[in-house]
Amino acid sequence: MLALVSLCIVVVVWWLATARRDSKSLPGPRPWPIIGSLHVLGGYKSPFEAFTALSKVYGDIFGISLGPAQCVVVNNFRLIKEVLINKGGDFGGRPDFLRYHKLFGGDRNNSLALCDWSALQKTRRSIAKSYCSPRFTSLQYDRVNEVGADELEVFLAKLQKLPQNTPIDIKPLILGTCANMFTQYMCSTRFAYDDPEFRKIVRYFDEIFWEINQGYAVDFLPWLLPIYQGHMKKLSHWAAEIRQFILSRIIDKHRATLDINSPPKDFTDALLIHLEEDPNMNWQHIIFELEDFIGGHSAIGNLVMITLASVVKYPEVAEHIQKEVDAVTKGKRSPNLFDKANMPYTEATLWEALRKASSPIVPHVATTDTEIDGYKIEKGTMVFLNNYELNVGEDYWNNPEKFMPERFLTHSGRVTKPGHFIPFSTGKRTCIGQRLVQCFSFIILATILQHYDVSAGSEMEMKPGCVAVPPDCFKLVLTPRKTPPTSG
Ligand code: HEM
């Protein structure tokens, strides 16, 4: 009797499981032969705009074929959390785009952001943690503050020499400043702004940052490669030049003076010491890790440009930040990281810029057969997390199209962020550089506005769902403030 009941239970469970799988096949657009639904994305400025539009038709989770690649798009916070947090271990892979290999010496697993999850990735993240995610009370945080302040003095002196009250191309200077902040903080090395090699490398990093934020048909249709040969060569060239610069101008000097018995003085030392101690790390890993993190400066430079563009469109935002910085510094000194707690509006402006820019979460890939929301997901399926919808969707924000830093402030004026706002993603592959972003972008923005009024110098068009602006982008007019900051 017991055996019969058990058998019945097994049969019922099996039937329910199969019925569930059969009844839940993913909705989604019907693919065309060869290209799948790539043509649908072509009709929008950003693929994420397309995903949002498709979610209105097919629901919060749908399947889409892009070329031969089977993809799933998840469009609400609950499902995004399921992928990134609850089942983070099942979705630790990254897409295998040819461009990614070209940028990282022929193997995308050299890159921290574009590799599949592995024991090596765990080690690389843990070495980077204390330097790239410095805690408020740590020595590293003090060092970020110090490096930022020193570099901004040089920046201001350079800025004064540029033509005032006329449109200028300020992006190269901002990027150079960010690059020096990074190399000083991570490698105890900085470069002269007119050093031709440094300028070239900063430009190449920015080209790569723009590149990585774009999508190309060849990512999904690799047989288009012959058409993209020139482009791919360019990517390999930029990457090789950067690598050579980092080796000859940063690492060689460091190695010559390294004392492995003393505590590391910076991130480069920490990596080199790790190389001596960990048999699983090799020379390539060290160079690529350092390169990856130094490259983070481009993200900050681009975010500052995007924020300035919003400040130009909404002059009341600039006035508010200027009031805050004047009140805190009394016009007698420069703003620093320890002022952040008393400058919530400035911090909120950066969150609002990140919300509006809506940098996409790098696609994840299923590394095993698994499920999302009860739908069967096969190993190798690419998953797009539609954080664009989380950042600009009517269901999540009031007047989402408006630039309103105050949406990130409580009634008592403290900074607050809703749980669904995850510009740096969440889970095991969350952004490692987010604290550096918050620190450096804050002092750069506050310092510029302490000294200058900023207005438009040319047309400014931002691409939706993209935190990058093109390497050659809009110009700005910087006018020394009428009310000098020393008046406070
Ligand atoms: C505007 C600035 C930035 C934004 C919006 C941003 C956002 C992101 C996002 C959304 C991811 C993907 C996480 C995922 O796939 O779940 C990511 C990954 C990553 N970010 Fe950032 N990031 C920024 C700047 C930086 C900087 C400055 C650094 C380095 C100092 C950095 C280092 C990384 C690394 C190493 C990863 C890969 C982590 C992994 O895959 O394990 N990021 N970032």
Side-chain angles (χ1 to χ4, degrees), residues 405-425:
E406 50 277 19
R407 70 171 86 244
F408 287 103
L409 294 176
T410 61
H411 289 303
S412 58
R414 288 164 58 100
V415 175
T416 177
K417 296 190 296 299
H420 59 78
F421 179 57
I422 47 164
F424 298 107
S425 187

Side-chain angles (χ1 to χ4, degrees), residues 100 103-104 107-115 121 124-125 128 132 182 186-187 205 208-209 212 239 242-243 246 251 267 271 284-299 429 431-433 436:
Y100 291 179
L103 288 170
F104 287 89
D107 182 359
R108 69 176 171 83
N109 282 309
N110 286 325
S111 152
L112 269 95
L114 307 176
C115 65
Q121 175 72 348
R124 294 190 293 197
R125 283 186 67 107
C132 301
F182 268 57
M186 294 178 179
C187 324
F205 266 125
I208 290 178
F209 185 66
I212 231 147
I242 288 175
R243 208 147 301 136
I246 288 179
I251 294 194
F267 182 42
L271 284 168
Q284 289 273 89
H285 297 141
I286 302 300
I287 302 169
F288 282 111
E289 178 150 5
L290 192 58
E291 173 186 325
D292 243 1
F293 280 103
I294 294 176
H297 81 267
S298 305
R429 300 213 64 166
C431 176
I432 314 180
L436 289 183

Side-chain angles (χ1 to χ4, degrees), residues 80-255:
I80 289 178
K81 276 193 298 186
E82 180 177 343
V83 174
L84 295 177
I85 300 177
N86 308 8
K87 300 203 176 123
D90 293 354
F91 293 100
R94 294 291 197 203
D96 199 30
F97 297 154
L98 276 170
R99 286 187 304 137
Y100 291 179
H101 292 291
K102 295 284 170 199
L103 288 170
F104 287 89
D107 182 359
R108 69 176 171 83
N109 282 309
N110 286 325
S111 152
L112 269 95
L114 307 176
C115 65
D116 296 327
W117 186 259
S118 64
L120 170 68
Q121 175 72 348
K122 212 172 156 192
T123 308
R124 294 190 293 197
R125 283 186 67 107
S126 79
I127 309 173
K129 205 169 169 211
S130 65
Y131 293 93
C132 301
S133 305
R135 287 182 184 284
F136 183 65
T137 49
S138 65
L139 288 176
Q140 271 82 11
Y141 196 86
D142 293 348
R143 182 82 187 120
V144 170
N145 187 42
E146 190 188 339
V147 164
D150 290 351
E151 198 57 44
L152 281 166
E153 263 184 45
V154 186
F155 169 77
L156 283 175
K158 290 270 163 208
L159 210 51
Q160 273 164 19
K161 291 196 185 124
L162 291 180
Q164 320 238 304
N165 303 316
T166 181
I168 52 168
D169 182 14
I170 196 182
K171 193 182 186 199
L173 180 57
I174 289 182
L175 286 172
T177 301
C178 294
N180 263 336
M181 286 178 179
F182 268 57
T183 56
Q184 185 64 20
Y185 174 63
M186 294 178 179
C187 324
S188 311
T189 311
R190 66 176 296 283
F191 300 91
Y193 284 69
D194 54 6
D195 177 331
E197 279 191 1
F198 174 64
R199 289 165 75 110
K200 185 175 78 179
I201 287 323
V202 171
R203 170 77 189 200
Y204 286 174
F205 266 125
D206 192 35
E207 294 272 10
I208 290 178
F209 185 66
W210 173 252
E211 169 71 27
I212 231 147
N213 276 282
Q214 310 307 308
Y216 291 90
V218 68
D219 293 340
F220 298 97
L221 306 173
W223 44 266
L224 288 177
L225 183 61
I227 304 173
Y228 284 84
Q229 277 302 358
H231 187 71
M232 296 291 175
K233 266 201 192 131
K234 207 164 55 178
L235 303 189
S236 302
H237 170 70
W238 291 335
E241 293 264 326
I242 288 175
R243 208 147 301 136
Q244 184 50 39
F245 181 86
I246 288 179
L247 260 179
S248 63
R249 303 282 305 270
I250 297 177
I251 294 194
D252 283 352
K253 205 171 82 187
H254 244 82
R255 270 183 115 189

